[in-house]
Every structure is written in C-alpha cells, then in structure tokens.
Amino acid sequence: MKFTDYTATLKTFMRIPLECSPRILWKLAYNFGWRNLVNMSRFEKRQAKGKPFFPAFVMISVTETCNLSCSGCWVTPGGKKSLSLEQLDGIITESKKKGSYFFGILGGEPLLYKGLFSIFEKHSDCYFQLFTNGMILTEEVAFKMKKLGNITPLISIEGLEDESEQRRGKSDVFNKSLAGVRACKKAKLFFGAAASICKGNFNDLVNRAYIDRLAKEGVHYLWYYIYRPVGNNPNPLNALNEEEIKNLRRFIVEQRKNAPLLVIETYWDDKGKALCPAATGMSHHISPGGAVEFCPPLQMAKEFINEDASNLTELFEQSAFLADLRKMTASASRGCILLEDPAKLVEFLEKQEALDTTTRNTVLQEYKNMSQVAGHDMKENAIPEENVFYKTMKKKYFFGFGAYG
C-alpha cells in the first residue's frame, strides 16, 4: 500500500466517530467490536478442539412478509410465516449462552415484524444488523434506533431508478430507499448499504462514482453480494459470469485502498481464496418458520426450534444434517454449491429427506430446475487483498476454520 492509501483508510475510519452519536459509538465498540472478538476466539477454539458445534453468528429471518416482490429473491411472495416473539427471544438467549452477541436480522422486511424493537431493547448487550429495503425506515424509526444504539441498518439498494423498479416490482423504490438512508444520517447512526450484483446493475453500482455518492449520503459501509437466481421467480440470465465476478473482486480490492467508506463482502479470504461462511460453520440461519437452515437461500432443513427456541443449542450440536452439509459443500467447492452444482445439492437433500421450510413448498423443484452458473471460486485466478487492514481482518476471521482441509 502507498502512504496515500494509508491516510485514505484512516480518513474513512475517522468518519465513524465524527458522524455517529456517542451512544452509537459505544455500542459499536463494545457490543459489536469487543464481544465479537471474544466470540470469534471461543468459536475458533471450539472448532480446533472438536467440541460440540455452535456457529459464531446466527442469521435470523423474522418474517416472510415483505412490501416488495423482487426477482431472484428466495422469500415467498405473500408469505405469512413469522417467528413468535418467544422464539426470537429464545434464539438470542441461547446464542448468548455460547458467547454470540451479534445477529443478522432479515425478512421479508423485518421492519414489518411487530415487537422487533422490544427485542432489541431487551437484549441491549447484543448488536443487530438489520437488513432492510429502507422504504419504511422513517426518521421516527431511525431515532428509535439511535435511542437503543445497538442496531446498524443495512439498506438494500439493487440499482438506480430504472433497475430498482424493474428488479423490485414497484415504482419509486430507489428514492424511497434513499429517503431511508437520509433518515439514518440525520439520526447519526452507523449504517450501510447493500447490493446484490447482477448483470442488470453491474454498471450502475460497481464503480467509484456510486461509492462516492453513497459516502456523501452518509453511508459508512457498502456490502457487495453476488446475485443468486433463486425463489419462485429466478432470472438466471441476470447472473454474473466468471469474468464479471473476477472484475467485481478486482474492483473491491482496488477500492479498499482509498474508498471513502468500508467495502464489505464475505466471499474471499486474505489470499483471495473463496469460502462459504456456512461451510466453515461461521454462520447458519433460522427461518421464519423456525427451521435451522444452512444459509438463507438454502430453504430446506431437518430440524426446527420449539416454541421458545430452548432447544437451539441441542439442535446445532446434534444436527447430522448440517454437519454433513458442511462437509459436502466444502468438499465440492470453496464457492457456492447452490450456484455451481445445484444437481449435487438436490441429490444430497433428497437422500437426507430434507423438508421445504417455506410457505410455497416448491423449493426442491426450484433447485431441480436450476442451471449451473458461475460462483465466486476463482481457483488459480485468486486476487489477494492489498489493503493491510482488510488483509489482517480476513486472515484472522476468514481462513476457513479447517473446513477445506
């Protein structure tokens, strides 16, 4: 890295204390920062010593209900399944017993889930990343988050005006999401934007002008995903090809040198080798119907939490289904088996007699209909990190935990 890159990275980090309220900073530093370090250390030791399994992080989809119906989304349009407040509370309580205090809260649209903020308030010692489309993230909601201090909204923006309307099935989506961004800035929150990159939005969102625009709107981090053509309305023609994924990776590495916000992804380690967070055991997912799932888009499972999720630890520790799925996916590829080898995944799911966990009950057939598309495992074309900060963090937390031998 050049000296100018070091100063640019420092300037990016300094935005956070300069722009966020003191309560937000304290919760970010202690609930997320310190507790995460301790949790990851405990997880690493459990994995190394072969102790009973429990993931480092639990992703929780609280409801299927959503105010959008996006192409390529795994959430059931019009779905009504939701976790009870007792189940959501229990998931968090059981996870805390294992040292895990960080949770991804997904939907549907989680802001449509009644009682969500009462859970955030009850578990004030935790930190929550709220995945939202931002359309109902008003100033009133943002200031509730400021008062609690333990929530970082991650606002999904799937393209500029035209692409957002085409992809998400409603008009004026981009501007309404942008209003949510501005509400977060006004409340002095620590917040991010996310984008699932596909052919349709690549040119709009994978460029420095877009990063600069988000930074000017107050966004502190940008999380890039790779589009997965799943759900009842997939569009495989919109999936990235190998060259586009390589270009996305190269862009991320280059922008991390001096971008005015943090550039996040969870696909590659410090050497640029691909990994799957679920295959490493780093994270698993609880569905709106209480299923203990491998990851959010893989909507088949064999275990379900009870009425208060008091059996969650037992399920994670004793699930042969999840253990075998971790081994199988890790042996198949360092990338995403859902994209790279859906036929092998279907064979595994049928052999295991896994259950569809959705309202629509068509997931297995959807996987059978899937065609192979490019994943993020670039093998010999791996592009290593160049920014020292990202390289250090990836080396510590993204080395596979033995999943790949």
Side-chain angles (χ1 to χ4, degrees):
M1 283 180 65
K2 300 177 182 178
F3 178 75
T4 53
D5 294 337
Y6 282 106
T7 56
T9 300
L10 179 61
K11 185 177 180 181
T12 297
F13 276 96
M14 285 305 298
R15 283 188 55 211
I16 300 171
L18 291 174
E19 297 175 9
C20 298
S21 72
R23 183 171 181 79
I24 295 293
L25 293 174
W26 166 247
K27 294 285 187 175
L28 176 64
Y30 186 73
N31 288 21
F32 177 74
W34 171 248
R35 287 193 184 277
N36 246 345
L37 289 172
V38 175
N39 175 42
M40 288 299 294
S41 177
R42 292 178 65 173
F43 171 74
E44 183 180 343
K45 289 177 181 177
R46 285 199 302 270
Q47 294 294 88
K49 295 180 179 179
K51 291 187 175 182
F53 174 81
F54 197 95
F57 310 113
V58 179
M59 310 294 284
I60 310 170
S61 289
V62 293
T63 183
E64 286 183 314
T65 303
C66 192
N67 51 351
L68 295 175
S69 182
C70 305
S71 170
C73 180
W74 57 82
V75 178
T76 303
K80 301 299 182 183
K81 286 187 177 182
S82 292
L83 293 170
S84 70
L85 285 172
E86 290 76 17
Q87 286 177 317
L88 179 55
D89 179 50
I91 294 166
I92 297 167
T93 299
E94 288 298 303
S95 299
K96 285 160 65 171
K97 292 177 183 178
K98 304 298 291 188
S100 181
Y101 289 81
F102 173 74
F103 302 89
I105 305 296
L106 305 88
E109 171 50 56
L111 288 176
L112 293 173
Y113 179 83
K114 294 181 180 180
L116 185 62
F117 282 83
S118 66
I119 295 293
F120 292 158
E121 184 175 13
K122 179 176 180 179
H123 295 280
S124 61
D125 53 348
C126 294
Y127 201 78
F128 300 95
Q129 186 173 47
L130 184 75
F131 293 69
T132 174
N133 57 46
M135 295 183 68
I136 54 175
L137 206 172
T138 62
E139 289 185 10
E140 180 183 1
V141 172
F143 276 88
K144 283 184 181 179
M145 294 181 185
K146 179 182 181 180
K147 183 178 180 180
L148 293 172
N150 60 344
I151 309 154
T152 176
L154 180 60
I155 300 171
S156 174
I157 299 176
E158 297 302 327
L160 303 183
E161 286 87 347
D162 292 342
E163 176 66 18
S164 288
E165 290 194 13
Q166 180 178 345
R167 177 92 167 272
R168 314 203 79 166
K170 281 191 178 181
S171 61
D172 206 29
V173 174
F174 176 75
N175 288 322
K176 289 178 179 176
S177 295
L178 204 57
V181 167
R182 290 166 180 166
C184 290
K185 181 180 180 180
K186 187 171 184 178
K188 297 186 176 181
L189 300 179
F190 174 69
F191 69 102
S196 177
I197 301 302
C198 58
K199 290 183 183 298
N201 64 18
F202 195 101
N203 291 335
D204 281 347
L205 305 185
V206 185
N207 61 74
R208 183 54 179 261
Y210 179 66
I211 288 178
D212 289 342
R213 178 177 183 176
L214 288 182
K216 288 180 181 178
E217 293 284 0
V219 175
H220 297 108
Y221 62 99
L222 171 59
W223 197 330
Y224 282 118
Y225 304 101
I226 293 173
Y227 172 77
R228 287 164 170 73
V230 293
N232 72 329
N233 184 27
N235 183 3
L237 296 178
N238 209 15
L240 301 179
N241 59 36
E242 291 183 2
E243 188 63 25
E244 288 165 332
I245 291 175
K246 188 189 303 182
N247 290 339
L248 173 63
R249 169 61 179 168
R250 187 179 293 112
F251 173 79
I252 289 172
V253 169
E254 187 65 26
Q255 292 304 312
R256 280 174 169 160
K257 295 178 182 179
N258 54 22
L261 46 65
L262 303 175
V263 183
I264 310 297
E265 46 73 24
T266 55
Y267 295 120
W268 297 281
D269 66 13
D270 63 300
K271 296 181 177 63
K273 292 183 178 180
L275 55 76
C276 165
T280 67
M282 189 184 302
S283 70
H284 284 314
H285 175 249
I286 310 298
S287 79
V292 182
E293 297 178 340
F294 188 69
C295 65
L298 209 167
Q299 297 175 293
M300 299 193 74
K302 292 192 70 173
E303 291 91 15
F304 293 78
I305 58 173
N306 57 20
E307 66 278 0
D308 60 0
S310 58
N311 64 339
L312 182 63
T313 298
E314 178 185 351
L315 293 180
F316 274 133
E317 290 183 350
Q318 298 182 11
S319 175
F321 172 75
L322 287 175
D324 290 346
L325 187 49
R326 288 193 297 270
K327 291 176 184 176
M328 188 275 287
T329 53
S331 65
S333 170
R334 292 183 68 104
C336 177
I337 191 169
L338 194 58
L339 300 181
E340 297 173 10
D341 200 344
K344 186 169 186 176
L345 176 61
V346 167
E347 180 184 2
F348 174 87
L349 294 172
E350 288 187 319
K351 184 178 180 181
Q352 291 275 339
E353 298 181 342
L355 303 173
D356 189 323
T357 63
T358 70
T359 297
R360 65 186 184 275
N361 288 313
T362 56
V363 170
L364 185 62
Q365 188 59 49
E366 291 166 11
Y367 294 163
K368 289 181 178 180
N369 294 340
M370 286 180 69
S371 56
Q372 182 179 4
V373 297
H376 60 279
D377 187 1
M378 298 187 293
K379 300 180 175 62
E380 68 276 3
N381 296 315
I383 301 172
E385 295 293 341
E386 296 182 16
N387 181 294
V388 173
F389 168 76
Y390 290 96
K391 182 181 291 187
T392 301
M393 294 301 292
K394 289 290 191 77
K395 191 172 184 178
K396 176 63 177 174
Y397 297 123
F398 281 68
F399 55 84
F401 302 104
Y404 303 106

